[in-house]
Amino acid sequence: MDQFEFEDETAKATGAPLEIKKKPRFKIFKGSTARKIPSRTERRYDDERRRLIADGTLVDHPSVSGLLVFTRDYESNSASMAAGVISGGGNFSGPEKWFEVGSGEPFNDWLGKRL
């Protein structure tokens, strides 16, 4: 399975698409980190982040203040939603912000070659 990385300042996540289609669902892997304080004024994914904190999927990082850590894999509706949950908001073009581990190819380009 090809893996992709997303970074937003100190937050760093690894994930992968769950299917090959135009707008695939996207999995964030356990151990990935997310910003505790949102990076954007637009808080599009606040409700989802609150739900993930409430159910224990996102918890305070044990050694790095300002970060949350995923305690289990999390399946989002899209690469954009995954990026928004990690950054704490914003309207990201997720396919342009996730990069293949190793090659650095943007997810958008990677996916386009497979459709």
Side-chain angles (χ1 to χ4, degrees):
M1 172 192 325
D2 291 285
Q3 294 187 7
F4 296 83
E5 291 179 329
F6 172 84
E7 293 184 34
D8 185 9
E9 293 192 18
T10 57
K12 184 174 181 178
T14 307
L18 293 170
E19 58 223 341
I20 302 296
K21 66 179 199 176
K22 188 173 180 179
K23 292 185 179 182
R25 293 175 299 132
F26 204 87
K27 180 185 287 187
I28 301 170
F29 297 139
K30 175 183 176 178
S32 293
T33 57
R35 291 175 58 111
K36 188 169 187 172
I37 307 295
S39 66
R40 309 256 179 145
T41 55
E42 181 189 343
R43 304 257 175 88
R44 185 174 183 176
Y45 299 107
D46 274 359
D47 289 342
E48 184 66 2
R49 284 172 54 96
R50 278 193 287 276
R51 185 186 72 74
L52 295 172
I53 291 167
D55 76 9
T57 299
L58 274 175
V59 299
D60 285 331
H61 194 286
S63 59
V64 182
S65 66
L67 286 181
L68 301 168
V69 64
F70 285 84
T71 61
R72 57 184 155 263
D73 289 351
Y74 163 68
E75 295 182 9
S76 67
N77 291 334
S78 68
S80 296
M81 181 179 186
V85 167
I86 293 160
S87 70
N91 188 9
F92 284 101
S93 173
E96 295 174 7
K97 298 294 184 182
W98 286 91
F99 297 92
E100 186 178 26
V101 174
S103 74
E105 181 177 31
F107 176 61
N108 194 41
D109 295 345
W110 179 91
L111 184 61
K113 292 175 184 175
R114 286 152 180 83
L115 292 176

